[in-house]
Amino acid sequence: MIGGVTGLLVLAATPIGQVRDAPPRLAAELAGADVVAAEDTRRLRRLCRDLGVEPSGRVLSYFEGNEHARTPALLEALGAGERVLLVTDAGMPSVSDPGYRLVAAAVDAGVPVTAVPGPSAVLTALAVSGLPVDRFCFEGFPPRKAGERQRRLAGLAHEERTLVFFESPHRTAATLAAMADAFGGDRPAAVCRELTKTHEEVRRGPLSELAAWAADGVRGEVTLVVAGAPPAAVPADPAAWRAAVAELTDGGTTRKEAIARVARAAGVPKREVYDAVHREDAP
């Protein structure tokens, strides 16, 4: 902030497929921003051409390779009172795309941050998957290395919320096979490919069937949606509750969430499981 003047950081969603899905405010923000930070300036130029708009401000590249080095300059522009627009290749900035560092720095500096909502592969895939949407978690891209991927998925094997992942097409088959091993081949899932584009495809089925289908190769942008684990049956016995909570916390679940899960599985109020666990902890 310079002389009491504060800029504004605007995060703008861009189409994940059809340009007609661009939010109406996007063109106005592109035309009026003092600085446009884009993950790929060539794609930005194509998007502007399709929208019939010409940015009036400075256009800078802002991608994974230069995000750390370029953030201070953008923060300086915000401190000077400029309006900085951040766009990525598709979807919402900072969601598995560049942006988090700049948002965190702006928040720390007291700079207002707002967003132009719009297309999201995460929410689109979740909505069309046919799987439960009341509770879900986004896990981004699974690790590329097989061992790390196996450990990450093993840690999610008992997650009861619907899981959403991004994956590259050439790793989709291996990831689906690893999910079938970690979650069980009969776990329901959906492979959402080329969402909103001409060749959009949503293939639903058990993980084992989807892994076999993907073995022949998958093309395009891929989002995977996997059903959460069914609640494990827990007897109406405080000792069993304590053992179940201990098993979950040993696997990395917080005690609060573990107590909530065990209570749901046992069909009892959380307070009863909480009391049982803490009686055991008491000296």
Side-chain angles (χ1 to χ4, degrees), residues 231-237 241 259-270 272-273:
V234 177
D237 173 22
W241 302 343
I259 288 172
R261 287 192 195 179
V262 172
R264 285 196 300 270
V268 298
K270 286 187 290 185
E272 292 189 24
V273 178

Side-chain angles (χ1 to χ4, degrees), residues 28 31 35 63 122-123 156 167 170 175 201 206 227 230 239 244 259 267-268 275:
V35 181
F63 58 94
V122 176
L123 295 180
L156 294 170
E167 189 52 286
H170 67 274
T175 293
E201 179 181 19
I259 288 172
V268 298
D275 289 343

Side-chain angles (χ1 to χ4, degrees), residues 242 245-246 249 255 259 273-283:
R242 289 192 292 270
V245 169
T249 54
R255 177 172 282 197
I259 288 172
V273 178
Y274 177 91
D275 289 343
V277 169
H278 284 270
R279 276 198 303 271
E280 181 76 7
D281 292 342

Side-chain angles (χ1 to χ4, degrees), residues 78-144:
L78 290 165
E82 293 190 295
R83 189 181 189 92
V84 175
L85 177 67
L86 178 61
V87 295
T88 54
D89 290 346
M92 180 61 71
S94 82
V95 181
S96 283
D97 277 328
Y100 169 75
R101 285 190 178 92
L102 182 56
V103 172
V107 170
D108 287 345
V111 174
V113 180
T114 189
V116 178
S120 164
V122 176
L123 295 180
T124 302
L126 183 69
V128 303
S129 69
L131 298 172
V133 298
D134 54 333
R135 298 174 67 241
F136 73 94
C137 58
F138 173 57
E139 289 292 325
F141 284 90
R144 296 184 180 188

Side-chain angles (χ1 to χ4, degrees), residues 136-258:
F136 73 94
C137 58
F138 173 57
E139 289 292 325
F141 284 90
R144 296 184 180 188
K145 295 182 178 179
E148 294 178 8
R149 182 172 58 226
Q150 183 180 23
R151 286 189 292 274
R152 174 77 60 82
L153 295 176
L156 294 170
H158 299 292
E159 173 58 64
E160 295 177 13
R161 294 173 293 179
T162 299
L163 300 161
V164 184
F165 301 84
F166 287 159
E167 189 52 286
S168 68
H170 67 274
R171 288 196 298 270
T172 295
T175 293
L176 287 169
M179 287 178 172
D181 288 340
F183 303 154
D186 59 347
R187 181 82 68 91
V191 178
C192 304
R193 191 181 68 82
E194 295 289 87
L195 287 169
T196 79
K197 300 177 183 176
T198 302
H199 300 292
E200 176 179 291
E201 179 181 19
V202 179
R203 186 170 286 266
R204 306 172 182 87
L207 280 169
S208 58
E209 291 184 10
L210 293 175
W213 164 78
D216 292 332
V218 178
R219 294 183 179 182
E221 301 288 335
V222 174
T223 305
L224 306 175
V225 187
V226 184
V234 177
D237 173 22
W241 302 343
R242 289 192 292 270
V245 169
E247 181 180 356
L248 287 170
T249 54
D250 287 346
T253 304
T254 65
R255 177 172 282 197
K256 180 179 179 181
E257 176 62 20

